Amino acid sequence: MAREQTVAVVGAGLAGCLLATLLGRRGIPVTVYERRPDPRVAGHERGRSINLAISTRGLAALEEVGLREEALARALPMHGRMVHPLGGEQNFQSYSADGTRAINSISRAELNMALLEAAEATPGVTVRFGHRLTNVDAEKGRLTLETPDGVVTEDVDVVLAGDGAYSAARRMTEGVEPFTHTQDFLEHGYKELTIPPVDGEFALSPDALHIWPRGNAMMIALPNLDRSFTCTLFWPKADFDALDTPRKVREHFEARYPDVVGLMPDLADEFARNPVGSLVTVRTWPWVRSGAGATVALLGDAAHAIVPFYGQGANCAFEDCVEIDRCLDETGGDWRRALSIYQERRKPNTDAIAEMALDNFVEMRDRVASPVFRLTRAAQHA
Ligand code: FAD
């Protein structure tokens, strides 16, 4: 009888946890290696986006593991954009003609936790925290991982790398010909701020994704269940550096975001304290490499990190997992064939969404405030 294949997932992020759950349900034992400590013990990592917009694509994937309703119960629907022009009235632009369609604002940490718990509750799934991948040897079929107790190696047949935009697994499989890889960084970075509740209530309408389009810069805000909003500034990196005193921060917000500056009591502190994140588009090919010992496949941001302006990175990562599961079904569990079909099917879709995400930055920071754009949308919905 053929030996059972040893399957490793790298990264217990959104994609890694969903994929491990799907594989466990299929009866495939899988070990997930995550570099961070267990968030239930160590708390959540700072400096990553606090909330995410999950749309139909993501919800359909979560439904596969029975988490759709749980996710929706922890989410707030946003039925449109609330645009805050400088010097004008805020205006609501519905996401659908009949006003019923919404995207859902959800805490990234809570969503990750729900997925992690689903993975761990699935027979056959083991999660090892504090295991940072440092090497993948596809010829020997071996992973090298750093742990608090020293370096360990694991023999594997299949490696599914969901280790994010700066994937270690991707770096280690690069350089084998033929290979293409680009990482395009925007000149813009992002920083998160908070609008706390006012007298226990939302300070802005909770039913919308708020946008302050300001030409080359913008701010957005998504509602949280605790009735706060998380604001994200998308600014040229030099603009963050220029505001190097509390007074400059306050004066800038009074001039550029006058309708919300009064709702941000910790503005100057948060601005100084919170990090500036980078925005990268990763295009790489192939996503799958087979050596004599193991097949290594990339998924999620490791394969196709995109800028967040279409709110589709996590949704796409989830779709990768469902596609891998589907391909295993279609090939009767033949990993090499399944992963080969997976990458061929997903790549055109993720390339397309990467371009749409870049285009949407221009639309969000500029065109949503223009009268022409609003007229066009009104005509589409008529
Ligand atoms: P990640 O979520 O990054 O998970 C990777 C995991 O791998 C992490 O747990 C990490 O600790 C682990 N890891 C990394 N390196 C190693 C290693 N060497 N060894 C072991 N483990 C490792 N998407 C949306 O769909 N909607 C949104 O509204 C949205 N908003 C966003 C806003 C911002 C500001 C940003 C930056 C992104 C946003 N995204 C959004 C994109 C979304 O966050 C990502 O697409 C999504 O998190 C990708 O999931 P992933 O599992 O591939 O990677």
Side-chain angles (χ1 to χ4, degrees):
M1 210 174 92
R3 178 177 70 86
E4 191 169 73
Q5 303 237 290
T6 306
V7 179
V9 168
V10 184
L14 300 177
C17 289
L18 178 63
L19 183 58
T21 308
L22 289 166
L23 296 180
R25 288 186 175 206
R26 185 169 274 289
I28 298 174
V30 51
T31 305
V32 185
Y33 298 100
E34 166 59 47
R35 73 170 172 192
R36 292 175 297 168
D38 188 336
R40 289 160 294 196
V41 180
H44 298 293
E45 196 180 46
R46 288 284 306 142
R48 318 184 77 218
S49 70
I50 291 168
N51 49 23
L52 299 168
I54 293 296
S55 63
T56 312
R57 305 156 76 94
L59 289 173
L62 291 171
E63 187 153 28
E64 301 274 326
V65 293
L67 284 180
R68 184 179 191 276
E69 295 311 315
E70 193 177 331
L72 282 175
R74 297 176 190 210
L76 286 162
M78 302 178 289
H79 285 92
R81 303 160 160 163
M82 186 72 82
V83 181
H84 300 247
L86 185 59
E89 285 291 299
Q90 61 179 21
N91 59 84
F92 182 77
Q93 300 173 5
S94 179
Y95 284 136
S96 58
D98 62 1
T100 57
R101 289 172 64 186
I103 54 175
N104 302 281
S105 173
I106 187 164
S107 147
R108 168 202 280 276
E110 282 200 29
L111 181 60
N112 209 148
M113 187 67 80
L115 283 160
L116 176 61
E117 284 173 352
E120 284 194 321
T122 308
V125 177
T126 307
V127 184
R128 300 223 172 113
F129 293 100
H131 280 62
R132 188 170 76 87
L133 179 82
T134 57
N135 194 32
V136 182
D137 187 332
E139 292 310 315
K140 290 190 181 139
R142 187 160 299 157
L143 301 182
T144 307
L145 303 129
E146 268 175 23
T147 79
D149 302 321
V151 173
V152 297
T153 58
E154 299 285 346
D155 290 338
V156 288
D157 300 297
V158 179
V159 183
L160 302 160
D163 54 346
Y166 305 101
S167 166
R170 186 182 66 229
R171 283 200 306 276
M172 281 149 212
T173 50
E174 282 170 13
V176 187
E177 298 296 329
F179 183 86
T180 57
H181 174 67
T182 59
Q183 282 190 135
D184 293 327
F185 286 89
L186 289 189
E187 60 144 347
H188 292 70
Y190 73 94
K191 184 191 282 282
E192 294 189 314
L193 302 171
T194 314
I195 297 178
V198 175
D199 298 330
E201 282 307 320
F202 287 104
L204 303 167
S205 162
D207 186 30
L209 190 158
H210 294 260
I211 309 180
W212 289 260
R214 296 292 182 265
N216 195 29
M218 73 166 178
M219 179 168 84
I220 66 167
L222 273 70
N224 298 311
L225 280 184
D226 67 1
R227 300 183 181 220
S228 66
F229 281 82
T230 302
C231 305
T232 312
L233 305 172
F234 295 102
W235 291 1
K237 283 188 174 163
D239 291 10
F240 289 112
D241 298 338
L243 303 187
D244 53 2
T245 66
R247 188 171 155 192
K248 285 188 196 166
V249 173
R250 187 146 290 276
E251 283 178 358
H252 183 83
F253 275 75
E254 278 163 0
R256 304 294 290 164
Y257 306 94
D259 62 331
V260 277
V261 65
L263 301 173
M264 303 169 107
D266 298 327
L267 172 62
D269 279 354
E270 280 197 319
F271 192 92
R273 198 174 54 234
N274 291 352
V276 176
S278 293
L279 298 166
V280 66
T281 303
V282 170
R283 297 181 185 85
T284 194
W285 187 257
W287 293 355
V288 182
R289 297 224 161 264
S290 289
T295 297
V296 184
L298 306 175
L299 67 141
D301 277 12
H304 48 72
I306 60 177
V307 293
F309 307 111
Y310 218 59
Q312 289 296 341
N315 290 294
C316 282
F318 289 154
E319 284 186 323
D320 290 350
C321 302
V322 173
E323 190 62 58
I324 290 174
D325 192 48
R326 187 180 296 131
C327 291
L328 281 169
D329 223 16
E330 289 173 16
T331 59
D334 178 335
W335 275 107
R336 285 198 182 198
R337 273 183 51 226
L339 292 174
S340 169
I341 300 170
Y342 147 74
Q343 66 170 352
E344 296 290 343
R345 282 189 189 158
R346 291 293 297 148
K347 176 74 169 152
N349 288 302
T350 59
D351 279 350
I353 213 125
E355 292 313 308
M356 289 161 79
L358 285 164
D359 287 350
N360 213 38
F361 187 25
V362 180
E363 177 178 314
M364 287 176 82
R365 70 187 200 214
D366 221 346
R367 287 205 290 269
V368 287
S370 87
V372 174
F373 178 82
R374 290 214 300 275
L375 276 174
T376 314
R377 283 183 66 82
Q380 279 168 357
H381 293 161

